């Protein structure tokens, strides 16, 4: 009997979780060889603690049912273990699931889990905090904080916050050290990308590879407001890298210094951190279940 646990965030996205849970019960039944357990999270940190508990108990699969924040917590609980990470993406952006080409249909995502095709994926680390999709400073961290505290979610709400905050936001000065070289920027935002997108198919780092042991660093310099429609289109067309307002680096580690403490966004969740920021990669630390082609080739 294969043991599988689903960690469900009851408030992520807009989906009716009871419908999802009923479907998962039917797909991962005892008749099909599964001993399935469901846990609904109650507070921040609950998904991490529960995933860590299940991995220590030797569960075969622990699946996150939620958005990128829930996936982050569950994946952190599985770092370094043999337990496989499943993803049922029902959040607002679903950036990691989209990068891994996991369908946003919970029925199709469940079938991916049943096939158990595994890819070892990296994690990024900022000081003592781990992320799997993207982390970032500046404007994206501010928007993430506003969005997290909003009464409604979704792409429209996110874009409304972006439009309102853009005209008020003042870029900061950042010093970046990479491989002995130092760069100074007055940056609108800095994204640290372990995977290719923020979510909703907005590709901030289209070339990022989640299993290459590298972090893609995207520095977005302040651009005139008339350039924003073209830059925004570039995110969805995967052409943002060609903009004159974008500088890119790829590295295993870096340091970022800023004048004072401030917000940093981790997989959609923003929190305060200090002025000295150390970034590194933890290579191949989680066994993620991903789609595969008919010949077994991974869709990454």
């Amino acid at each position: 009997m294969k043991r599988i646990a689903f960690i469900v965030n009851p408030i992520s996205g807009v989906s009716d979780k009871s419908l999802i849970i009923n479907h998962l019960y039917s797909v991962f039944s005892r008749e099909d060889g599964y001993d399935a357990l469901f846990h609904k999270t109650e507070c921040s940190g609950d998904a991490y603690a529960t995933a860590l508990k299940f991995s220590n108990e030797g569960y075969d699969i622990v699946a996150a049912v939620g958005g990128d924040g829930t996936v982050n917590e569950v994946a952190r609980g599985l770092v370094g273990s043999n337990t496989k990470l499943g993803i049922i993406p029902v959040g607002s952006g679903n950036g990691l699931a989209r990068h891994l080409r996991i369908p946003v249909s919970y029925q199709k995502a469940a079938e991916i889990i049943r096939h158990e095709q595994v890819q070892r994926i990296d994690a990024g680390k900022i000081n003592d905090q781990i992320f799997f999709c993207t982390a970032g400073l500046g404007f994206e961290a501010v928007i993430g904080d506003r969005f997290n505290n909003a009464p409604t979610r979704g792409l429209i709400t996110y874009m409304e916050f972006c439009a309102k905050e853009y005209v008020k936001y003042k870029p900061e000065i950042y010093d970046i050290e990479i491989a002995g070289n130092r760069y100074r920027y007055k940056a609108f935002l800095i994204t640290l990308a372990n995977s290719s997108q923020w979510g909703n198919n907005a590709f901030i780092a289209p070339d990022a590879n989640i299993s290459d042991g590298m972090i893609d660093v995207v520095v977005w310099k302040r651009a005139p407001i008339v350039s924003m429609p073209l830059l925004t289109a570039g995110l969805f067309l995967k052409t943002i890298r060609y903009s004159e307002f974008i500088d890119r680096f790829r590295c295993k580690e870096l340091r970022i210094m800023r004048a004072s403490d401030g917000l940093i966004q981790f997989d959609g969740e923003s929190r305060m951190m200090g002025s000295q920021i150390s970034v590194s990669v933890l290579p191949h630390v989680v066994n993620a279940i991903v789609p595969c082609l008919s010949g077994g080739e991974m869709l990454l």
Side-chain angles (χ1 to χ4, degrees):
M1 190 73 69
K2 189 163 292 186
R3 292 199 297 169
I4 182 170
F6 294 92
I7 298 178
V8 183
N9 182 345
I11 62 171
S12 63
V14 295
S15 302
D16 184 342
K17 302 305 184 301
S18 62
L19 291 177
I20 296 172
I21 291 172
N22 288 339
H23 178 76
L24 295 174
Y25 260 126
S26 67
V27 171
F28 297 93
S29 66
R30 284 189 170 272
E31 289 76 11
D32 290 316
Y34 293 95
D35 180 9
L37 180 151
F38 291 79
H39 173 85
K40 289 185 179 181
T41 59
E42 297 180 355
C43 60
S44 177
D46 186 13
Y48 164 72
T50 305
L52 181 61
K53 173 179 176 289
F54 288 145
S55 68
N56 288 338
E57 291 176 356
Y59 269 73
D60 299 287
I61 302 169
V62 176
V65 184
D68 284 320
T70 306
V71 174
N72 173 291
E73 287 198 31
V74 172
R76 280 194 286 122
L78 305 184
V79 165
S81 76
N82 292 321
T83 301
K84 299 171 185 176
L85 168 69
I87 301 176
I88 305 290
V90 292
S92 299
N94 303 310
L96 185 60
R98 291 177 189 272
H99 175 87
L100 296 175
R101 301 190 186 180
I102 295 171
V104 294
S105 158
Y106 64 84
Q107 296 95 335
K108 293 179 180 179
E111 288 304 311
I112 299 299
I113 293 174
R114 282 174 58 87
H115 286 93
E116 292 189 49
Q117 173 69 54
V118 170
Q119 171 75 12
R120 296 284 288 175
I121 66 171
D122 304 337
K125 187 176 183 181
I126 299 181
N127 296 347
D128 61 346
Q129 300 292 324
I130 291 176
F131 67 97
F132 293 89
C133 191
T134 65
L137 301 82
F139 184 75
E140 71 169 279
V142 171
I143 294 301
D145 185 58
R146 303 289 188 275
F147 186 71
N148 290 339
N149 294 296
T152 60
R153 295 291 187 98
L155 180 60
I156 293 176
T157 299
Y158 189 86
M159 296 305 293
E160 286 176 350
F161 277 121
C162 288
K164 290 176 183 176
E165 295 294 331
Y166 181 82
V167 294
K168 298 186 293 183
Y169 184 76
K170 294 181 180 179
E172 296 183 58
I173 300 294
Y174 300 92
D175 288 304
I176 304 175
E177 287 186 3
I178 301 175
N181 298 310
R182 188 160 182 154
Y183 309 88
R184 170 162 281 202
Y185 285 99
K186 188 174 186 179
F188 179 59
L189 62 83
I190 299 174
T191 296
L192 306 162
N194 188 42
S195 65
S196 58
Q197 62 169 280
W198 283 327
N200 286 307
N201 291 325
F203 291 88
I204 185 63
D207 297 325
N209 183 325
I210 202 167
S211 298
D212 65 354
M214 308 287 277
I215 289 289
D216 283 43
V217 184
V218 181
V219 181
W220 185 319
K221 295 169 282 187
R222 181 77 186 208
I225 195 165
V226 295
S227 302
M228 290 308 295
L230 186 60
L231 284 164
T232 301
L235 290 170
F236 295 96
L237 296 172
K238 300 184 180 181
T239 58
I240 190 73
R241 57 192 168 205
Y242 303 121
S243 170
E244 63 181 298
F245 302 108
I246 298 293
D247 281 354
R248 299 180 297 138
F249 306 90
R250 180 171 287 165
C251 56
K252 293 181 182 294
E253 58 184 17
L254 67 148
R255 292 181 65 228
I256 302 174
M257 288 72 71
R258 55 186 176 183
S260 60
D261 298 354
L263 290 165
I264 296 185
Q265 174 271 131
F266 294 85
D267 291 339
E269 306 290 332
S270 293
R271 65 198 70 173
M272 291 293 294
M273 292 196 79
S275 60
Q276 304 291 312
I277 299 157
S278 296
V279 184
S280 58
V281 182
L282 305 176
H284 295 183
V285 292
V286 170
N287 296 307
I289 299 175
V290 299
C292 62
L293 298 174
S294 57
E297 180 184 350
M298 284 170 289
L299 284 167
L300 297 175

